[in-house]
Amino acid sequence: MSDPGLPAGWEVRHSNSKNLPYFFNAATKESRWEYPNGTDTEKLKAYIDQHHGTAAVRPDGRGAKEGKIRAAHLLVKHKNSRRPSSWREADITRTKEDAIGILEGYEERIRSGEITLGDLAVTESDCSSARKRGDLGFFGPGEMQKEFEDVAFALKPGEISHVVDTASGEHLIQR
């Protein structure tokens, strides 16, 4: 597939520093992490999976390292989270049960095909990875909290977890 589904003038490029795809408009010289308005998100997802996804090895040989995986997540913090604040809310007061309920609603919307985890993460995740559609990049064993890592490594590429509880809060994880 060579059509990324982007509006005219836009192209997908790859950030060497973050090892992530981003969007560039050659005419306006604008670059951004979020996809531009008018994008065919299904075409773009397929294109990125093929050319920039977990299994893709870049032409320069960079990409998945031995034993590492790539995952994205959507984090909802609660008042008992390790750090109950985020870029979205300075003081998070919701209960753990409320956070789980919120994520279960998101999970239902994602599984129904209404929206993608990445689209939701941009506006709803309490993690700073929201600006990268929840993408955490590549990581290996011992680099994430154990509960998160155990679930992420058990997922097959493209799969989405149910709610995962960690000291940081509640997560949905997509590999």
Side-chain angles (χ1 to χ4, degrees):
M1 165 181 277
S2 60
D3 177 11
L6 293 170
W10 287 92
E11 60 188 63
V12 179
R13 292 195 173 176
H14 201 92
S15 166
N16 289 327
S17 61
K18 300 212 179 276
N19 196 25
L20 293 172
Y22 69 95
F23 309 103
F24 181 74
N25 185 313
T28 65
K29 305 294 186 225
E30 179 184 357
S31 64
R32 52 172 33 195
W33 294 109
E34 304 82 25
Y35 56 80
N37 289 336
T39 298
D40 180 331
T41 55
E42 290 307 310
K43 275 188 182 177
L44 179 61
K45 183 178 176 188
Y47 180 88
I48 287 177
D49 284 347
Q50 182 180 1
H51 298 282
H52 299 274
T54 306
V57 175
R58 298 197 13 229
D60 62 5
R62 290 176 158 179
K65 306 247 188 299
E66 188 66 34
K68 293 194 174 204
I69 63 167
R70 186 173 190 174
H73 77 135
L74 194 161
L75 169 66
V76 176
K77 292 183 174 186
H78 51 79
K79 64 184 179 182
N80 295 320
S81 295
R82 180 175 55 191
R83 195 177 64 82
S85 65
S86 75
W87 67 273
R88 296 179 60 235
E89 293 178 75
D91 184 29
I92 295 174
T93 59
R94 76 177 65 84
T95 66
K96 179 177 180 175
E97 292 73 25
D98 288 341
I100 291 169
I102 290 167
L103 275 178
E104 288 173 340
Y106 293 159
E107 181 182 358
E108 188 175 309
R109 292 176 64 197
I110 293 165
R111 291 191 191 281
S112 75
E114 174 189 338
I115 194 162
T116 66
L117 183 139
D119 289 342
L120 270 174
V122 169
T123 59
E124 305 303 321
S125 183
D126 285 319
C127 181
S128 61
S129 69
R131 71 178 186 274
K132 297 181 287 184
R133 303 175 48 77
D135 193 330
L136 297 168
F138 290 99
F139 58 90
E143 294 182 44
M144 299 288 178
Q145 293 175 40
K146 182 172 178 9
E147 302 85 355
F148 185 98
E149 188 176 284
D150 288 348
V151 173
F153 274 85
L155 294 170
K156 294 182 179 98
E159 283 186 331
I160 296 175
S161 71
H162 297 291
V163 176
V164 177
D165 177 45
T166 72
S168 296
E170 309 305 311
H171 309 255
L172 288 177
I173 305 168
Q174 181 173 23
R175 175 144 175 227

